[in-house]
Amino acid sequence: MQQSVIAIKGIGEETAEALREMGIVTIEDLLNHFPFRYEDYRVCNLEEAKHDEKITVTGKIYSEPSLTYYSRKKSRLVFRVLVDRYLITAVCFNRPYLKNKLSLHDTITITGKWDQHRQTITVQELKIGTMIAKKEIEPVYSTRGEITVKGMRRFISLALQQYSDSIVDPLPLSIRQKYRLLSKKEALRAIHLPLSHEQLKQARRRLVYEEFLLFQLKMQALRKFQREHSAGISHSFSTEKLQAFIDSLPFPLTNAQKRVVHEILEDMKSPYRMNRLLQGDVGSGKTVVAAIVLYAAYLSGYQGALMVPTEILAEQHAQSLKQLLQPMNVSVELLTSSVKGKKRKELLEQLASGSVDIVIGTHALIQDDVNFHKLGLVITDEQHRFGVEQRRILREKGQSPDVLFMTATPIPRTLAITVFGEMDVSIIDEMPKGRKKIETYWVKHDMLERVLNFIAKEVEKGRQAYVICPLIEESEKLDVQNAIDVHSMLTHYYKGKYRIGLMHGRLSAEEKERVMRAFSANEIQILVSTTVVEVGVNVPNATVMVIYDADRFGLAQLHQLRGRVGRGSEQSYCILVADPKSETGKERMRIMTETNDGFVLSEKDLQLRGPGDFFGTKQSGMPEFRLGDVVHDYRILEVARDDAAKLIQSTAFWRDDEYALLRSYLEQSGVLHGEKLD
Ligand code: ADP
Ligand code: MG
């Protein structure tokens, strides 16, 4: 299998060179060059044929073919064909010679595009008789340079003919039997030369499982390796004191909060370095969880740091953590780029000497001159907004501190187990009691006046509203202009009755700060803003969220924005103003009105946008699979993940012969020596 393709009889130097250009060097590479689609020549039942689809039917010629020329080289041959009990029309372009070959009542098999409305097939292939000489399902390969699809088919079938017996199966028989999987040899044959759709399906199932299993084994082995080779801190703290703190909170924890707190604390107590992702929908109460585990770190004699992406968020977190923790004599401080001069110098000294216990901040935390006395726990909020590098710098400010990543962007399970496969994941999947569902409406732009009157009604009741402005791709400048325009439109419309604030990315940190404070204090009733308010902002008195051109936003982002309301006890509303043109745009609006559940939304978002786009960045770390599709094959992915986790933990895996090939795969991939995955 590792031999060069040149070993195949029928492949010479030139072909081998052309294949090499495509990255195909060994026989194994060739057999792993899977078709990206198939041509289907199976005879179909006309009743099942869909408009515009390519179909193959067998029938009898029912009218004398009539030939029309409409230029010297262009011609059209038309005749009627009786297929079962349907009389349809067949059209062949530019093949005048067929006229003499076809006679009335001949049986023919034709393949072509089906026009349902005209009951017509535009013939691409025609064969006299019922027999089809071709394979019913033919693979189509991506090719480059000299190599044609036909050529590729031939090379692969030569390889299968001559080398099938050398195909070894990395999957042990026990696993294959458990899931009734084809052998590797059968699967490779069937994926390239399928005899039926069922066989193709089985081949895919088998190969996708193998692909996912190998990937997950790598992830799980890496995780095991990281645990065993990265001595971390064994936090030890008084459970009574921690419980006393939990009991002092103004509300009981939800069961989900209790569970994740337990998971995190167990991890902190263990001698391994924690590497954990905490997911929880907007408003599910992650901040309290952060406070509890930071307090645990404090009780065990360590400092803690919480890094967030924006100043406003840092402010808010600092405020709530101070409120919660200062009564326990924990000193909590804020470090952002607005903290300057003497104040900053003092704070840095306190961090270095250990007299400040917990610090909350932005990127300012990872400046060179920030040093900790004894940093034992690092938490980042909205983790996907920080690059890998920034997280590493913060982590390295301590001696193997435990690390917790918090995110309010519910990451679909499917992505979480691929992208974060080497991390432990805790999920808060329950909302605090008594939350009212945010009522969500989708209206067209021509209903704007009613929306504005609705805002006025809520404001008259003492509530507040956000108006989020249209988003313009890649252009912060235009976004800002939009916000300014909407702001003046509203000022004009309400004739100065309400105070209307304006917030966008071009304001300085102090200006933003001032606007946010004013909104928090209800000195501003309506806040016009770009998406800068997306993350974390907490103003419980705000009950209306209006989003302009909502169809320009992704579902995850709409959900984040909607999460800015519904934070108090009053009924809240989200109004999506949009005239979407595309079907997916409309679909997104409908989904938003139907569910408040972030996880449901994120799964839908993934389905609508595909995994590549989900995080909106190239550095999302999504692995590319040859065959597997994390959305459509997610069941297989989950099974493979569980199997991989069990295998890696078992002694049999590291000992028995049947796993030798899987082990050697791990050996080759380098994870057993602590090399990074990518
Ligand atoms: P998140 O950061 O997950 O979006 P927060 O931590 O900001 O959510 O919590 C949202 C609100 O819910 C806060 O006002 C918080 O005090 C409150 N809260 C958190 N946990 C509970 C709970 N168990 N019961 C009631 N309210 C809670
Ligand atoms: Mg939060």
Side-chain angles (χ1 to χ4, degrees):
M1 286 294 106
Q2 297 307 324
Q3 301 169 67
S4 158
V5 289
I6 202 116
I8 297 169
K9 286 190 207 75
I11 293 186
E13 289 283 358
E14 257 175 58
T15 305
E17 187 46 42
L19 285 171
R20 181 189 299 276
E21 299 272 293
M22 293 181 60
I24 297 171
V25 180
T26 65
I27 297 175
E28 181 172 324
D29 295 340
L30 185 60
L31 291 179
N32 280 332
H33 187 71
F34 300 126
F36 68 91
R37 68 181 180 87
Y38 296 84
E39 293 276 24
D40 193 347
Y41 293 104
R42 284 169 318 144
V43 173
C44 86
N45 189 335
L46 261 190
E47 280 163 45
E48 289 161 16
K50 293 197 188 80
H51 181 65
D52 252 9
E53 241 181 20
K54 188 168 168 181
I55 61 167
T56 298
V57 289
T58 295
K60 273 191 175 175
I61 299 184
Y62 210 73
S63 73
E64 219 33 90
S66 90
L67 181 64
T68 326
Y69 276 93
Y70 44 97
S71 80
R72 208 164 59 83
K73 278 193 177 159
K74 297 205 165 155
S75 70
R76 185 173 57 208
L77 185 67
V78 181
F79 53 96
R80 309 278 275 168
V81 186
L82 185 68
V83 179
D84 300 329
R85 44 205 173 82
Y86 300 98
L87 198 54
I88 65 170
T89 306
V91 187
C92 305
F93 287 102
N94 312 326
R95 275 184 278 181
Y97 51 87
L98 281 177
K99 182 168 165 60
N100 297 327
K101 293 194 176 166
L102 302 176
S103 356
L104 209 58
H105 305 316
D106 273 356
T107 297
I108 55 166
T109 300
I110 48 183
T111 298
K113 202 162 156 190
W114 175 234
D115 184 329
Q116 173 98 49
H117 315 306
R118 300 205 173 111
Q119 298 279 297
T120 298
I121 288 189
T122 307
V123 177
Q124 290 160 5
E125 313 212 12
L126 184 148
K127 172 89 197 158
I128 296 175
T130 42
M131 279 262 302
I132 309 177
K134 283 175 174 285
K135 291 267 161 3
E136 293 189 338
I137 308 172
E138 246 182 352
V140 182
Y141 297 97
S142 65
T143 55
R144 224 190 300 146
E146 327 266 273
I147 309 276
T148 61
V149 174
K150 272 200 176 134
M152 192 58 101
R153 282 180 193 149
R154 197 164 61 84
F155 306 141
I156 289 176
S157 68
L158 285 173
L160 284 168
Q161 276 163 30
Q162 297 167 33
Y163 286 89
S164 269
D165 289 336
S166 335
I167 295 173
V168 284
D169 199 330
L171 296 185
L173 195 62
S174 56
I175 292 184
R176 262 159 50 201
Q177 282 173 342
K178 184 170 164 201
Y179 300 119
R180 297 170 191 275
L181 297 173
L182 298 180
S183 72
K184 177 98 176 195
K185 185 170 144 184
E186 291 165 329
L188 283 179
R189 174 165 278 282
I191 198 104
H192 291 295
L193 308 166
L195 295 176
S196 69
H197 272 249
E198 181 53 28
Q199 204 190 39
L200 184 58
K201 208 171 105 190
Q202 291 305 329
R204 257 199 104 250
R205 190 168 76 92
R206 141 78 212 218
L207 294 169
V208 168
Y209 175 82
E210 177 186 324
E211 186 172 37
F212 284 160
L213 183 75
L214 292 179
F215 173 75
Q216 290 293 344
L217 279 173
K218 238 160 65 171
M219 293 293 234
Q220 301 291 336
L222 184 72
R223 178 163 150 191
K224 181 177 151 80
F225 183 91
Q226 280 178 348
R227 283 194 153 245
E228 289 172 4
H229 293 78
S230 60
I233 302 162
S234 270
H235 285 280
S236 78
F237 43 83
S238 149
T239 321
E240 289 77 43
K241 282 188 184 161
L242 193 65
Q243 192 57 49
F245 172 58
I246 294 173
D247 292 340
S248 78
L249 294 171
F251 42 73
L253 295 183
T254 61
N255 286 329
Q257 283 171 319
K258 283 184 199 157
R259 192 187 62 242
V260 303
V261 164
H262 178 78
E263 287 167 0
I264 298 166
L265 293 180
E266 285 305 304
D267 236 6
M268 287 173 64
K269 282 192 258 181
S270 85
Y272 308 123
R273 189 168 65 71
M274 174 165 76
N275 189 32
R276 185 173 284 276
L277 179 73
L278 173 62
Q279 285 192 55
D281 207 344
V282 182
S284 62
K286 291 181 298 298
T287 314
V288 185
V289 172
I292 295 169
V293 302
L294 283 167
Y295 185 55
Y298 161 81
L299 288 177
S300 94
Y302 285 89
Q303 290 170 295
L306 170 59
M307 181 159 77
V308 300
T310 66
E311 300 230 347
I312 298 174
L313 200 51
E315 265 279 338
Q316 277 190 358
H317 273 312
Q319 215 179 341
S320 28
L321 289 181
K322 272 182 190 170
Q323 218 169 43
L324 290 166
L325 291 169
Q326 270 169 352
M328 317 307 287
N329 286 324
V330 182
S331 74
V332 180
E333 292 298 334
L334 174 72
L335 178 57
T336 62
S337 43
S338 323
V339 179
K340 291 184 188 121
K342 188 156 161 274
K343 185 120 192 287
R344 181 167 189 275
K345 195 160 158 272
E346 255 173 44
L347 180 54
L348 294 192
E349 279 165 15
Q350 290 168 331
L351 281 173
S353 72
S355 61
V356 162
D357 304 309
I358 289 168
V359 66
I360 290 120
T362 51
H363 293 82
L365 284 180
I366 56 175
Q367 302 304 310
D368 276 343
D369 57 353
V370 179
N371 293 303
F372 289 83
H373 173 60
K374 220 179 158 190
L375 181 61
L377 175 64
V378 168
I379 305 181
T380 63
D381 199 2
E382 292 306 326
Q383 63 91 27
H384 65 279
R385 286 171 184 253
F386 292 108
V388 177
E389 189 55 17
Q390 293 162 324
R391 297 192 313 242
R392 187 187 59 76
I393 297 173
L394 181 57
R395 197 172 66 223
E396 288 179 355
K397 290 192 180 286
Q399 290 262 322
S400 290
D402 284 329
V403 182
L404 181 69
F405 308 99
M406 301 201 295
T407 178
T409 311
I411 299 162
R413 242 173 341 160
T414 45
L415 284 190
I417 64 180
T418 39
V419 182
F420 303 111
E422 92 289 9
M423 266 193 219
D424 294 294
V425 180
S426 288
I427 300 177
I428 309 184
D429 51 5
E430 179 189 357
M431 285 288 176
K433 287 202 183 53
R435 287 282 160 78
K436 290 204 177 71
K437 185 174 175 288
I438 300 164
E439 281 180 28
T440 303
Y441 301 99
W442 164 29
V443 303
K444 302 275 168 71
H445 278 96
D446 56 17
M447 304 226 329
L448 193 60
E449 195 161 338
R450 285 177 63 182
V451 174
L452 298 183
N453 293 339
F454 180 77
I455 294 176
K457 227 174 76 196
E458 283 291 300
V459 172
E460 293 293 337
K461 279 198 248 167
R463 307 280 93 78
Q464 290 164 275
Y466 295 94
V467 177
I468 303 299
C469 294
L471 180 78
I472 294 175
E473 208 74 43
E474 314 283 354
S475 171
E476 199 201 337
K477 203 170 148 198
L478 290 176
D479 285 348
V480 169
Q481 191 52 48
N482 271 329
I484 293 168
D485 291 348
V486 172
H487 180 262
S488 63
M489 185 271 283
L490 290 183
T491 309
H492 182 74
Y493 187 84
Y494 294 120
K495 302 189 179 71
K497 252 171 99 185
Y498 314 123
R499 303 240 347 233
I500 302 169
L502 176 63
M503 173 82 127
H504 55 69
R506 289 288 169 91
L507 298 182
S508 70
E510 288 102 72
E511 286 169 310
K512 278 188 209 154
E513 179 65 46
R514 201 167 36 71
V515 176
M516 252 353 270
R517 261 186 218 294
F519 190 60
S520 267
N522 199 2
E523 287 157 15
I524 287 173
Q525 283 80 49
I526 301 169
L527 182 62
V528 174
S529 176
T530 58
T531 54
V532 291
V533 297
E534 182 190 338
V535 180
V537 172
N538 190 20
V539 179
N541 191 48
T543 55
V544 185
M545 167 60 67
V546 175
I547 306 171
Y548 260 90
D549 285 350
D551 55 319
R552 299 217 183 140
F553 298 85
L555 279 175
Q557 202 176 13
L558 289 172
H559 184 62
Q560 283 297 313
L561 288 167
R562 177 167 63 183
R564 297 310 105 217
V565 297
R567 302 176 82 84
S569 50
E570 302 295 328
Q571 176 62 51
S572 290
Y573 307 88
C574 174
I575 300 167
L576 309 168
V577 185
D579 300 336
K581 297 203 173 50
S582 71
E583 268 315 306
T584 46
K586 288 177 193 159
E587 179 69 12
R588 282 209 296 270
M589 297 304 100
R590 275 194 290 270
I591 294 168
M592 280 298 291
T593 60
E594 281 161 15
T595 183
N596 264 288
D597 183 326
F599 280 94
V600 173
L601 281 168
S602 70
E603 290 284 351
K604 298 263 189 201
D605 208 14
L606 180 60
Q607 282 162 17
L608 289 177
R609 289 204 278 169
D613 283 346
F614 188 79
F615 290 106
T617 52
K618 278 169 238 93
Q619 48 136 5
S620 67
M622 270 306 290
E624 286 202 23
F625 294 107
R626 263 174 198 284
L627 213 53
D629 176 322
V630 296
V631 179
H632 291 106
D633 302 318
Y634 83 91
R635 277 175 213 285
I636 305 180
L637 181 61
E638 279 184 329
V639 171
R641 195 263 319 255
D642 293 346
D643 288 348
K646 279 190 208 120
L647 284 174
I648 293 290
Q649 296 305 329
S650 72
T651 35
F653 179 78
W654 301 102
R655 183 194 61 206
D656 294 352
D657 283 347
E658 62 169 343
Y659 300 111
L661 285 170
L662 291 178
R663 282 198 303 271
S664 77
Y665 167 79
L666 285 182
E667 185 70 32
Q668 281 160 25
S669 72
V671 290
L672 300 184
H673 310 289
E675 285 165 33
K676 277 284 165 200
L677 265 179
D678 31 33

